Amino acid sequence: MKNEFIRKETTIIHKGYSSEHHHDSLSVPLYQTSTYTFSSAEQGERRFAGEESGNIYSRLGNPTVRILEERIAELENGQSALAFGSGMAAVSAVLIHVTKTGDHILCSRGIYGCTFGLLEMMDEKYNISHSFSALSTEQEIEASIRPETVCVYIETPINPTMELVDLELVNKVAKKHGLKVIVDNTFSSPYLQNPLDFGADYVLHSATKYINGHGDVIAGLLIGNDVDDMMNIRMTVQKDVGGIISPFDAWLIIRGLKTLHVRMDRHSENAQQLVSFLQSASVVSEILYPFDPSHPQYEIAKKQMKAGGGLISFNIKGGKKAAQFFMNELQLIKIAVSLGDAETLIQHPATMTHSVIPEVEREKMGVSHSLLRLSVGLEHVEDIMADLKQAFAKVETHFAMTK
Ligand code: LCS
């Protein structure tokens, strides 16, 4: 059953690699090269003309990168994948590919701050507009579609509000109108959620997060089912805009990816326990976690996600002052904006990841100054809990909050 693995846990470790083609090396080799030699001028001509397969130049393809791409395509139940130098390079590549001047992009109610920035730039420079919608019912989606709409761009769960978008519903309505559906699956990773299974056309990831998982790489991935269309993105947008991944970063991700399933299970278990703990914290006014039965979209979560993942957002009483005071009192938990690492991280979206979004828009997305986002790491859950507990106690005392 060489390279025909069915279960994700096995794909994560083996897909796309046979040691006999690589000097019997168990570990995937790092092809740290910018270019490749041709045996003759005629061979070079044939490769450029597409008459002979083979390597040319690493902006067009690299053997280490290709193994990562094959592995990730399989993990997302797709046919083809492209690796990029950042999550934003993957976001921009797919949006450049599906839009032209005059088009409109329909977005989920919230999106990552830099994606918002990119959409604003596309609007200003190229007259490609966008709008936001909760996309929660068929009527609401229908009402948000304009004659010039070409695609629906979704995050689910949404960064940082943990609001969900019903993938089955959106794909059904979008297909009726011939719209492409693009899903940013960064928060779930391909182990917990596979949007292509619900009919999405493209799935993308900031591989910086759970996929690499070790806080040492910035990278992005784009996955699709239409092999010719994906090849078109590779040979136009990716080749000519140039946002490729370095072979070394691809190699690090292949290494990090090997434990994705083990990490995601532990991230989810730790988060689930912390949600129970947060429910007992009097300083917390609201907890946002998809697999918490009190989450208003819990039924959607169960339908499209295998587990809740490692991100919990919560609102703290006392607004920005209390939020920042609380963060500064944490000892084990680090103040940092990434997510999906072994270390537990906390950030304040209104002044950090989503600060580029004007306040009115940001508030509409549900990102207020009392919102904190916790990326639950892989430490012992009781150590994380103890750190939160001591910092909550200090907030209570400092702000004279009564229980
Ligand atoms: N999509 C989502 C949902 C993200 O959260 C991010 C980065 C990106 C795309 C872009 O990926 P990058 O280019 O950074 O690899 N999110 C970040 C965050 O929440 N904190 O720091 C970065």
Side-chain angles (χ1 to χ4, degrees):
M1 53 180 267
K2 231 170 224 175
N3 282 344
E4 286 173 9
F5 306 108
I6 298 164
R7 293 174 188 84
K8 285 196 190 307
E9 290 82 349
T10 311
T11 297
I12 279 168
I13 295 165
H14 292 280
K15 178 67 186 176
Y17 182 65
S18 295
S19 57
E20 69 246 42
H21 301 133
H22 300 272
H23 302 282
D24 304 320
S25 171
L26 171 72
S27 165
V28 171
L30 168 58
Y31 287 91
Q32 186 70 27
T33 185
S34 58
T35 198
Y36 305 84
T37 55
F38 305 130
S39 61
S40 67
E42 289 77 9
Q43 186 187 48
E45 183 182 8
R46 286 195 301 279
R47 290 205 180 164
F48 267 87
E51 293 161 8
E52 178 187 298
S53 64
N55 295 308
I56 297 177
Y57 185 65
S58 277
R59 180 155 39 76
L60 281 60
N62 170 283
T64 307
V65 173
R66 219 168 285 129
I67 291 163
L68 170 64
E69 290 173 339
E70 262 198 59
R71 213 162 269 188
I72 224 72
E74 175 100 351
L75 276 176
E76 275 292 11
N77 300 333
Q79 294 299 318
S80 179
L82 300 171
F84 291 86
S86 70
M88 286 317 300
V91 175
S92 54
V94 70
L95 288 177
I96 290 170
H97 178 64
V98 300
T99 61
K100 60 178 183 348
T101 295
D103 287 345
H104 168 254
I105 303 165
L106 175 58
C107 302
S108 49
R109 202 165 74 99
I111 47 172
Y112 170 56
C114 294
T115 306
F116 182 90
L118 171 70
L119 290 170
E120 289 280 295
M121 193 251 282
M122 288 173 78
D123 194 4
E124 277 164 32
K125 291 181 79 115
Y126 308 114
N127 189 28
I128 296 164
S129 62
H130 61 273
S131 61
F132 299 97
S133 165
L135 308 168
S136 54
T137 63
E138 186 157 355
Q139 293 76 357
E140 192 176 23
I141 303 168
E142 294 275 1
S144 310
I145 295 171
R146 303 177 186 172
E148 62 273 23
T149 307
V150 290
C151 66
V152 187
Y153 185 93
I154 297 164
E155 280 181 22
T156 182
I158 292 173
N159 182 4
T161 57
M162 306 310 287
E163 190 178 313
L164 304 182
V165 175
D166 185 332
L167 290 171
E168 192 183 2
L169 173 71
V170 170
N171 278 292
K172 189 184 87 178
V173 183
K175 289 284 117 58
K176 225 166 73 184
H177 293 266
L179 309 179
K180 297 282 184 204
V181 175
I182 304 161
V183 182
D184 183 333
N185 200 23
T186 300
F187 270 35
S188 292
S189 89
Y191 180 63
L192 297 185
Q193 178 172 270
N194 298 117
L196 296 180
D197 291 354
F198 295 87
D201 297 280
Y202 304 101
V203 176
L204 65 89
H205 289 274
S206 166
T208 314
K209 311 297 173 351
Y210 289 113
I211 288 178
N212 179 56
H214 291 71
D216 47 17
V217 168
I218 300 272
L221 293 158
L222 176 69
I223 305 99
N225 261 327
D226 183 335
V227 175
D228 293 340
D229 176 63
M230 292 294 287
M231 183 54 91
N232 193 4
I233 302 177
R234 186 191 289 281
M235 298 313 287
T236 57
V237 187
Q238 194 186 43
K239 174 169 79 65
D240 298 339
V241 177
I244 54 147
I245 193 171
S246 81
F248 182 53
D249 283 350
W251 184 85
L252 281 172
I253 295 174
I254 289 168
R255 189 166 78 150
L257 184 68
K258 284 184 191 181
T259 54
L260 178 72
H261 48 310
V262 183
R263 289 186 282 112
M264 290 316 293
D265 284 343
R266 180 60 69 88
H267 282 300
S268 302
E269 277 167 32
N270 276 1
Q272 203 80 47
Q273 287 195 53
L274 288 172
V275 166
S276 306
F277 162 74
L278 289 169
Q279 277 158 351
S280 67
S282 57
V283 174
V284 173
S285 59
E286 190 185 14
I287 300 158
L288 307 160
Y289 186 70
F291 260 58
D292 173 11
S294 72
H295 189 288
Q297 296 166 302
Y298 181 52
E299 291 308 314
I300 298 174
K302 282 193 295 181
K303 190 170 70 166
Q304 60 196 35
M305 296 169 75
K306 189 177 159 201
L311 285 151
I312 307 170
S313 289
F314 59 92
N315 281 298
I316 190 165
K317 290 178 193 164
K320 180 177 169 183
K321 274 209 170 84
Q324 291 187 330
F325 180 92
F326 170 71
M327 291 167 84
N328 291 336
E329 289 302 329
L330 292 165
Q331 291 166 7
L332 175 72
I333 299 168
K334 308 292 177 230
I335 305 172
V337 290
S338 200
L339 59 102
D341 292 327
E343 297 84 357
T344 298
L345 308 177
I346 194 158
Q347 70 117 350
H348 184 245
T351 57
M352 295 178 180
T353 52
H354 290 64
S355 58
V356 295
I357 305 177
E359 187 147 6
V360 179
E361 289 283 348
R362 207 174 56 228
E363 293 274 346
K364 271 195 243 165
M365 291 178 181
V367 184
S368 75
H369 277 285
S370 61
L371 189 73
L372 287 163
R373 190 192 73 192
L374 189 68
S375 172
V376 178
L378 303 174
E379 302 95 340
H380 197 293
V381 69
E382 284 174 20
D383 291 334
I384 307 171
M385 218 177 277
D387 196 23
L388 291 169
K389 199 170 177 176
Q390 63 81 22
F392 282 142
K394 288 186 180 137
V395 172
E396 273 174 17
T397 310
H398 186 82
F399 293 91
M401 289 179 187
T402 44
K403 290 196 184 180

